Amino acid sequence: MSTVELTKENFDQTVTENDFVLIDFWAAWCGPCRQFAPVYEKAAQDNPDLVFGKIDTEAQPELAAAFGIQSIPTLMIVRDQVAVFAQPGALPEAALTDVIGQARKLDMDEVRKAVAAQQAKSQGK
């Protein structure tokens, strides 16, 4: 499966219905975004069990704003509806492969516990 164009209309459904979604925030005018695109496409082909989405920040400014995207390209990984990775910059192929491998190995029960603890702490509980 190649990449999926994510929009405000299909974003929630895509993230809810899939356990592991990678998101590339990009724009057509962005040179590093264009350099990263073939690396991202190859990773999508190499990992057919994962969903690889792309969000055009020019066409979807609400989504870019919702995630506080300040520079592009930005790669985000969402597992079980929790953002577990977000980093601006075009990753080389080896780094992208490594990040995907690390995200696959995450114990999501531990991640959810950490998120809950952080939320409780920020709410002063």
Side-chain angles (χ1 to χ4, degrees):
M1 180 175 161
S2 63
T3 59
V4 178
E5 185 66 33
L6 295 176
T7 65
K8 63 184 181 198
E9 288 77 23
N10 71 358
F11 181 84
D12 287 341
Q13 180 179 3
T14 301
V15 171
T16 302
E17 292 179 358
N18 297 282
D19 296 337
F20 198 125
V21 182
L22 292 93
I23 305 165
D24 173 23
F25 291 88
W26 69 284
W29 52 262
C30 165
C33 297
R34 289 195 306 272
Q35 290 174 325
F36 182 58
V39 173
Y40 193 70
E41 287 287 340
K42 182 177 184 313
Q45 292 169 3
D46 292 346
N47 296 277
D49 58 319
L50 307 180
V51 174
F52 284 73
K54 291 178 77 71
I55 295 177
D56 180 345
T57 58
E58 294 289 308
Q60 301 297 322
E62 302 92 342
L63 282 176
F67 287 99
I69 301 303
Q70 307 234 332
S71 61
I72 52 175
T74 290
L75 176 67
M76 183 175 289
I77 299 177
V78 179
R79 279 203 53 200
D80 299 344
Q81 301 176 41
V82 177
V84 296
F85 178 85
Q87 178 179 312
L91 294 175
E93 184 177 346
L96 179 56
T97 300
D98 183 52
V99 165
I100 292 170
Q102 289 182 48
R104 282 185 185 274
K105 292 177 191 163
L106 284 174
D107 179 338
M108 289 310 293
D109 289 333
E110 290 298 318
V111 170
R112 280 188 283 279
K113 283 182 198 168
V115 168
Q118 187 62 41
Q119 286 173 341
K121 190 175 172 183
S122 68
Q123 294 168 357
K125 292 182 180 172

